[in-house]
Amino acid sequence: MFSPSLRRGISCLSLLAPVLFLAGCGGNNTGAVITVPNSVVVADLRHAGVMDIVIASAQIDETGLTQKPGLLGVILNSTSSPGTFAAIANYVTNASPPAGLAVGDLSGNGTHDILVANITTGTLSLFLETSATSGTYGAAKTLTVGGQPNDVQIADLNGDGLPDIIVADNEGKVTYLLQNPASPGNFQAAVSLPISNPAITAENLPTRAIAVAVGDLNGDGLPDLAVTSFDANGNYGQVTIYFQDPAHPGTFLATPTVINAYGEPSQIRIADLNKDGANDLIIACQGLASNGDLNASTDGNPLGNIALAEAQYGAMVILQNSASPGTFSPYIVYPGVSGAISAAVADLNADGYPDVALVSLYPQGQGLIATLMQDPTNPGTLLAPATYTGIGQPVSIAVGDMNNDGLPDLVTADATTAAYYENLSSAPGTFSQMGQVGGGQ
């Protein structure tokens, strides 16, 4: 789901940067056109009791002669043999390239509708499911939000029972659109909240809002917004938390809480990691800033602590102080996954504690998947990662029980479509790569 920079020397990245979920060279070369999957989610699209896969992909014409539209791919799971999948059904997004992706009932009909963020056009593509049990979609409708939408989420912000839309904007803001209660399925004018970072302003560089998560971060029962950002060079990472104004549902307090989070914080998740009743922040941390130095602590780099901090990579955890809701402990980065770009949180090994799964851009052309189990004797801390080989360079990860055995499996946006990693019932928390699903695009 994220924006690796051109400076990293991965030649294929220049095709789409700064797209949120950006594959490397893993794509389907059909003549001059390469299909690059950028983001993935899983959901029971048909209310059929099985989890299906939704993936957004770019089509890149290597000749530069044409601008191809993006693709929304739907891969349906078998109801009779869960864990086996039909061929992908593709829908055109009407814009290129697609970035973030979200699923929710935006029509009020019990459907699983889909939003795709189109980073270069300032729009979202809205796909309405044809019925609540179909798993099929009509042509895309275009919602104009402006800016450069990088990530998108669906949540009921104002408590009116209608899902709203939240967008992390690559131009340095988070934007939300409340659904119109007088006209369900339609949305009020977009409201934008700026992401301010004095260090970036001082260098006269643009701020990029990378990803947004929605959840109650101060225990008042209202959903808040947490946004990751860094500058155009990948420096001065930050998490900005906008707390909702309890006196005015659907609006946010003017002054956000800001947490410096060096290391290129990318996809962000909200979950009660240590099970103390307060939601925490879990972030995929790329750790490849332009002035970062993986050996800064030992090689005498004159940039010193900043270089070391911005070279941090892996899973970043920011625990909320349960005794003081809305405040947070200093972040901790659990290393071992350089180039971590996307994160998911679930109890992977059935011990009752949430764990973290990451995907990484590295090694180049292959990438990897990493799982960091929580230490049950020290809640809120993570153990060293176990890693699994990617196929073509995974860039987005989702978690769901794909084979109905009671254990969460892993699905990644990788190579030409999606890849499936089965959680082994004989050893929960270990995974077997089942290969690509959905066929080629």
Side-chain angles (χ1 to χ4, degrees):
M1 212 184 121
F2 294 88
S3 165
S5 320
L6 302 181
R7 64 183 183 278
R8 299 192 188 154
I10 300 179
S11 59
C12 287
L13 295 185
S14 62
L15 294 171
L16 282 178
V19 175
L20 179 64
F21 291 116
L22 183 59
C25 300
N28 184 27
N29 192 338
T30 54
V33 178
I34 296 176
T35 302
V36 183
N38 283 339
S39 54
V40 65
V41 298
V42 298
D44 181 1
L45 299 178
R46 299 161 291 167
H47 298 281
V50 294
M51 301 296 283
D52 306 304
I53 300 170
V54 183
I55 191 163
S57 301
Q59 297 185 95
I60 307 301
D61 184 350
E62 289 192 304
T63 69
L65 298 177
T66 61
Q67 179 77 8
K68 298 293 184 182
L71 297 175
L72 170 73
V74 175
I75 304 171
L76 298 179
N77 201 346
S78 171
T79 56
S80 59
S81 182
T84 60
F85 299 88
I88 192 168
N90 280 318
Y91 303 84
V92 175
T93 66
N94 293 336
S96 179
L101 177 67
V103 175
D105 181 7
L106 293 172
S107 62
N109 296 321
T111 53
H112 288 84
D113 307 311
I114 301 171
L115 283 174
V116 178
N118 303 310
I119 190 170
T120 60
T121 62
T123 64
L124 305 176
S125 292
L126 169 60
F127 294 87
L128 298 177
E129 193 175 15
T130 57
S131 77
T133 59
S134 70
T136 61
Y137 292 83
K141 299 181 178 181
T142 299
L143 300 179
T144 299
V145 295
Q148 296 179 0
N150 211 2
D151 187 23
V152 62
Q153 300 294 330
I154 298 172
D156 180 6
L157 292 179
N158 57 357
D160 64 356
L162 300 173
D164 308 305
I165 298 171
I166 307 95
V167 177
D169 191 314
N170 204 50
E171 292 186 346
K173 57 183 181 287
V174 59
T175 297
Y176 63 96
L177 297 83
L178 298 178
Q179 195 165 166
N180 186 348
S183 181
N186 295 294
F187 296 86
Q188 299 175 15
V191 177
S192 292
L193 306 171
I195 305 299
S196 177
N197 188 320
I200 295 177
T201 302
E203 293 199 358
N204 197 30
L205 291 168
T207 299
R208 290 177 171 172
I210 304 300
V212 61
V214 184
D216 181 5
L217 289 170
N218 59 359
D220 65 357
L222 301 173
D224 308 303
L225 308 179
V227 190
T228 54
S229 63
F230 46 77
D231 69 21
N233 290 329
N235 302 317
Y236 306 112
Q238 179 173 292
V239 176
T240 305
I241 301 172
Y242 275 95
F243 291 108
Q244 192 162 166
D245 182 351
H248 302 92
T251 67
F252 295 84
L253 300 177
T255 303
T257 291
V258 173
I259 302 171
N260 289 329
Y262 293 111
E264 289 184 295
S266 296
Q267 189 167 49
I268 184 168
R269 302 295 191 185
I270 295 174
D272 182 4
L273 192 67
N274 57 359
K275 300 188 69 174
D276 65 351
N279 278 328
D280 309 304
L281 302 172
I282 303 93
I283 302 164
C285 193
Q286 296 184 47
L288 295 167
S290 62
N291 69 347
D293 179 359
L294 298 178
N295 300 307
S297 62
T298 58
D299 67 5
N301 187 318
L303 292 174
N305 291 335
I306 290 180
L308 177 62
E310 291 183 348
Q312 292 178 332
Y313 55 89
M316 178 181 287
V317 172
I318 305 175
L319 297 176
Q320 186 175 172
N321 298 316
S322 58
S324 181
T327 67
F328 296 83
S329 300
Y331 72 78
I332 298 174
V333 175
Y334 294 87
V337 190
S338 180
I341 198 169
S342 177
V345 180
D347 180 6
L348 300 177
N349 60 357
D351 67 352
Y353 289 91
D355 308 301
V356 177
L358 303 173
V359 293
S360 168
L361 295 168
Y362 295 95
Q364 181 175 338
Q366 174 181 296
L368 60 80
I369 294 87
T371 56
L372 294 86
M373 302 302 166
Q374 191 167 172
D375 181 354
T377 66
N378 192 8
T381 63
L382 301 176
L383 301 172
T387 59
Y388 304 86
T389 302
I391 296 175
Q393 200 156 26
V395 291
S396 176
I397 189 166
V399 176
D401 182 1
M402 309 307 294
N403 59 357
N404 282 7
D405 67 351
L407 294 173
D409 306 301
L410 306 177
V411 178
T412 62
D414 193 1
T416 63
T417 55
Y420 165 40
Y421 294 76
E422 182 180 286
N423 197 340
L424 299 179
S425 58
S426 59
T430 59
F431 294 86
S432 175
Q433 185 192 98
M434 308 303 290
Q436 280 200 92
V437 297
Q441 289 180 295

